[in-house]
Amino acid sequence: MDSDTALRRAGDAQRLASDPAVSAFVGASAGSGKTKLLTDRLLRLMLAGNPPGRILCLTFTRAAAAEMALRLQRSLGKWVVMEEEELDDALAGLGFVADAALRAQARKLFAEVLDLPGGMRISTIHAFCQSVLRRFPLEASLSPHFELAAEEDRALALQAAQQLILAQETGPVRAAVERLAPLIGTLDRLRGLIDALAAKRVKLPPAFAEAFRRAAGAPDRPPDRARVSDEARLRAALSVLAEQGSAKFVERAAAMLGWLDLPGEMRRERFPQWCGAFLDGRGQPRAPGGLVNPGLARQVPAVLEALCAEQAHVLRILEEEAAGRVAAASSDLHTFAALVLAAYDEAKGRAAWLDYADLIHHTNRLLVDPGAAWVLYKLDGGLDHLLLDEAQDTAPEQWAIAEALTAEFFAGQGAREVKRTVFAVGDPKQSIYSFQGADPAGFDRWRDNLRARVAAAGETWREPALDVSFRSTAPVLALVDAVFAAPPASAGVVPAARTLRHDPVRAGQAGAVELWPLAPASDPPDPMPWT
């Protein structure tokens, strides 16, 4: 595909997506013009007569919000001083046929945006939540004078809360810490785990220990190490192995028969020795040739079958025990973390502090609380269009906020009778997995949710894809497409029914890909002694 064709294709897709009369959910690749698309969408909404103050654009970072606001101001500022013919061309590029009224509308938008109290509503999700809580602090059960905690203050408060709980010398918390200590190792690692839990604040059920057990796949009770898969069958196989096997297998069979002759309690004590007959030094299952010498396995297949069955049984016991340890450790960590976070919340409450996780949590609770329905009514009355950037990194709690804000958009009767739209753009391939609770699977789930709501209201819905790259050259993009053309590389990156494809605008421009051999990591140098 030549440059002109790729450029036309990209322009057509962007015009479809930025149409102010439709709702859209756009899948975009890196370098395909997402920021331009969002800016065009804002410009077209305002040119179509939508008041700038009734548009909300939520981005993922402050840098992205600043870049979008800068591009918007730059475009509106240029429109004020453009010659008529030049302005007509700019408006035509956005899909409008210029006339005197539209030119006048375009030239006054710069002043309208400047006069908005607080400016154009382009912000991060956290900044938006902070503005909502500032507006409705009492409804959110917060001090009207709350402050956003500085990162240093937050870290110190969390560390102080951890030290307070660690100082407890008796009780279940102390026992939990003593069990966790060998697994975690250092206070820094423990602090990192608590910090991660503080950021996510997952609400766990009261019977969290049972929930952890089920999630880990642990059995109701610990497996019995003294039991074997089929003792009679196993004894018969080991007897044959002891009589007809090669020297090392004869010795091993005798030791295994000795273990089987032990009473149950001694079997449990010496279970690691039993495992050693089926696992190698790295804990991996022995190959069939490591259980029975090949000649005997061919002559008496039942011997190998019995030992393979017991090997599977031993592996199952070890897996169940590992699952139980994971569940127990998770339960202990939650027991400790719950008290640390409670002390941390108490300290923040005394100082009237909120952290970033609190902003999302309190806004979410405020918007879904039936007793605060009028808050949504007030917000709904000032919002007609919602734009979401980097949708692939939106966490479930953040999606819930977006859902609450747009609840009346397609319900038939909103606060005002106007055409209202929702727009989201993102790329699941670029998701920062688990960062701030990001859920890449939510991208498809919320796209389906919004599509159903828009369709039920009889409104127009679009899902254009931006796959024309303005950034890279053909050789680079061809390599990317080739790498993700087949599983397992495509798993989690490209839907099963689709093929990854990028078309470059920079067709014919120079580009090269070099594949270098992997370089072995060098050993770190010994530290020099302090003088």
Side-chain angles (χ1 to χ4, degrees), residues 403-422:
E403 182 180 34
L405 290 173
T406 59
E408 296 298 320
F409 273 31
F410 311 106
Q413 286 290 331
R416 289 166 297 102
E417 288 303 315
V418 295
K419 179 177 281 293
R420 310 169 89 177
T421 65
V422 62

Side-chain angles (χ1 to χ4, degrees), residues 212-225 271 275 278-279 283-285 308-328:
F212 282 130
R213 188 190 63 75
R214 289 198 305 270
D220 294 335
R221 60 187 65 183
D224 187 357
R225 291 181 161 196
F271 182 70
C275 292
F278 300 97
L279 309 177
Q284 298 300 310
C308 284
E310 179 59 19
Q311 183 184 57
H313 176 72
V314 167
L315 290 171
R316 192 158 49 248
I317 289 177
L318 295 176
E319 288 174 1
E320 290 177 353
E321 288 182 343
R325 289 193 298 271
V326 168

Side-chain angles (χ1 to χ4, degrees), residues 166-190:
L166 282 173
Q168 297 184 13
E169 297 183 357
T170 59
V173 176
R174 188 67 185 181
V177 170
E178 289 177 353
R179 289 190 295 267
L180 285 171
L183 300 174
I184 295 177
T186 66
L187 281 175
D188 284 341
R189 288 190 63 193
L190 178 61

Side-chain angles (χ1 to χ4, degrees), residues 474-492:
V476 176
L477 296 174
L479 176 68
V480 172
D481 293 348
V483 167
F484 295 102
S490 62

Side-chain angles (χ1 to χ4, degrees), residues 34-208:
K34 286 181 291 185
T35 305
K36 179 183 183 300
L37 172 61
L38 284 160
T39 307
D40 286 354
R41 175 94 181 184
L42 287 171
L43 292 170
R44 293 183 71 178
L45 282 168
M46 291 187 286
L47 286 170
N50 296 286
R54 299 192 183 278
I55 302 170
L56 173 62
C57 183
L58 299 179
T59 67
F60 196 68
T61 65
R62 282 176 291 194
E67 173 66 17
M68 194 178 307
L70 183 63
R71 290 196 189 194
L72 185 68
Q73 293 282 4
R74 188 182 297 135
S75 294
L76 296 179
K78 287 180 179 179
W79 289 356
V80 174
V81 296
M82 276 183 177
E83 296 293 338
E84 187 172 295
E85 183 177 345
E86 192 178 3
L87 178 59
D88 289 352
D89 290 340
L91 297 177
L94 292 170
F96 290 89
V97 177
D99 56 20
L102 187 63
R103 293 188 201 99
Q105 168 75 1
R107 294 189 191 280
K108 71 178 183 179
L109 282 175
F110 183 72
E112 284 187 16
V113 170
L114 284 182
D115 289 341
L116 282 176
M120 192 80 183
R121 291 197 291 176
I122 303 173
S123 67
T124 65
I125 182 71
H126 294 100
F128 169 73
C129 290
Q130 187 174 0
S131 69
V132 171
L133 296 176
R134 288 281 183 214
R135 188 176 173 188
F136 305 103
L138 300 182
E139 292 80 359
S141 301
L142 296 173
S143 165
H145 307 291
F146 75 83
E147 294 181 2
L148 186 61
E151 189 60 31
E152 297 80 3
D153 294 332
R154 174 188 171 279
L156 288 172
L158 196 57
Q159 184 176 346
Q162 178 176 303
Q163 292 172 343
L164 178 67
I165 304 305
L166 282 173
Q168 297 184 13
E169 297 183 357
T170 59
V173 176
R174 188 67 185 181
V177 170
E178 289 177 353
R179 289 190 295 267
L180 285 171
L183 300 174
I184 295 177
T186 66
L187 281 175
D188 284 341
R189 288 190 63 193
L190 178 61
R191 191 176 299 121
L193 289 170
I194 300 299
D195 197 38
L197 291 172
K200 292 189 177 181
R201 293 300 181 91
V202 179
K203 187 176 181 181
L204 295 172
F208 58 83

Side-chain angles (χ1 to χ4, degrees), residues 229-420:
S229 55
D230 186 334
E231 187 157 342
R233 180 189 182 193
L234 196 55
R235 282 183 178 275
L238 290 172
S239 297
V240 173
L241 185 60
E243 293 174 2
Q244 304 178 34
S246 57
K248 71 172 183 178
F249 290 109
V250 168
E251 184 179 348
R252 187 183 297 167
M256 294 172 72
L257 286 168
W259 186 88
L260 288 173
D261 290 336
L262 295 173
E265 193 56 40
M266 293 188 69
R267 281 190 184 185
R268 295 183 188 95
E269 290 177 4
R270 300 184 184 181
F271 182 70
Q273 298 173 9
W274 183 251
C275 292
F278 300 97
L279 309 177
D280 61 23
R282 297 174 300 160
Q284 298 300 310
R286 293 184 185 275
L291 298 175
V292 183
N293 48 293
L296 180 58
R298 288 192 296 270
Q299 293 173 13
V300 190
V303 175
L304 180 59
E305 292 171 2
L307 291 175
C308 284
E310 179 59 19
Q311 183 184 57
H313 176 72
V314 167
L315 290 171
R316 192 158 49 248
I317 289 177
L318 295 176
E319 288 174 1
E320 290 177 353
E321 288 182 343
R325 289 193 298 271
V326 168
S330 299
S331 180
D332 285 338
L333 180 61
H334 178 264
T335 298
F336 175 70
L339 290 177
V340 172
L341 295 180
Y344 172 58
D345 286 340
E346 186 178 343
K348 288 191 299 180
R350 290 194 300 269
W353 285 348
L354 296 182
D355 59 23
Y356 285 109
D358 293 327
L359 294 176
I360 299 294
H361 174 72
H362 285 292
T363 304
N364 193 308
R365 189 176 63 180
L366 173 66
L367 296 184
V368 301
D369 182 359
W374 77 278
V375 173
L376 267 178
Y377 176 80
K378 294 288 286 184
L379 292 174
D380 180 61
L383 180 62
D384 292 335
H385 304 278
L386 176 64
L387 289 76
L388 297 172
D389 187 19
E390 303 292 2
Q392 77 279 356
D393 287 321
T394 304
E397 271 198 314
Q398 297 168 357
W399 276 118
I401 292 171
E403 182 180 34
L405 290 173
T406 59
E408 296 298 320
F409 273 31
F410 311 106
Q413 286 290 331
R416 289 166 297 102
E417 288 303 315
V418 295
K419 179 177 281 293
R420 310 169 89 177

